[in-house]
Amino acid sequence: MDEKLNFKPTISINLINFNQSKFLNDAIDSVLNQSYENFELIIIDNGSTDSSKSIIKSYLNDKRIKFLDFNSNDYVTKRLNHSVSVSKGKYI
């Protein structure tokens, strides 16, 4: 029973962004401030032209964060499928 209580699988959280700079800090901080710490946060920027990319880059000192930086806007499903393909977590 103790093994099950100590089991903390890695969770992949995929956050897609397109020109949402005014909400981005809150979204990223919300993930980082969770009590569960065994996660990776994959942030997908889908070709933003606002300050989103610089906001995301300011968080890259946290080794749990991966940044998928795309220069052009494409289908959300295409970007999310790509992020799932690079996810390392047991759960997404």
Side-chain angles (χ1 to χ4, degrees):
M1 182 72 156
D2 288 335
E3 288 179 26
K4 289 182 181 179
L5 293 176
N6 291 323
F7 178 64
K8 294 184 180 179
T10 302
I11 295 172
S12 296
I13 302 162
N14 298 357
L15 173 65
I16 191 160
N17 175 71
F18 178 70
N19 289 338
Q20 296 294 316
S21 61
K22 66 181 185 178
F23 305 108
L24 203 47
N25 283 310
D26 288 341
I28 295 170
D29 289 340
S30 174
V31 174
L32 295 178
N33 291 326
Q34 297 298 311
S35 60
Y36 193 85
E37 294 183 353
N38 194 18
F39 65 85
E40 65 175 353
L41 172 58
I42 301 173
I43 305 172
I44 309 105
D45 187 83
N46 199 9
S48 292
T49 56
D50 64 358
S51 62
S52 292
K53 291 177 190 267
S54 62
I55 292 169
I56 296 166
K57 288 176 183 176
S58 73
Y59 285 91
L60 294 181
N61 60 332
D62 190 318
K63 65 181 180 173
R64 299 171 296 179
I65 298 177
K66 294 179 185 174
F67 181 28
L68 303 180
D69 185 5
F70 295 97
N71 291 322
S72 62
N73 187 270
D74 207 341
Y75 295 106
V76 171
T77 51
K78 180 179 179 180
R79 299 299 192 214
L80 287 173
N81 284 340
H82 178 76
S83 70
V84 168
S85 75
V86 300
S87 296
K88 303 290 185 207
K90 181 171 175 72
Y91 303 104
I92 299 173

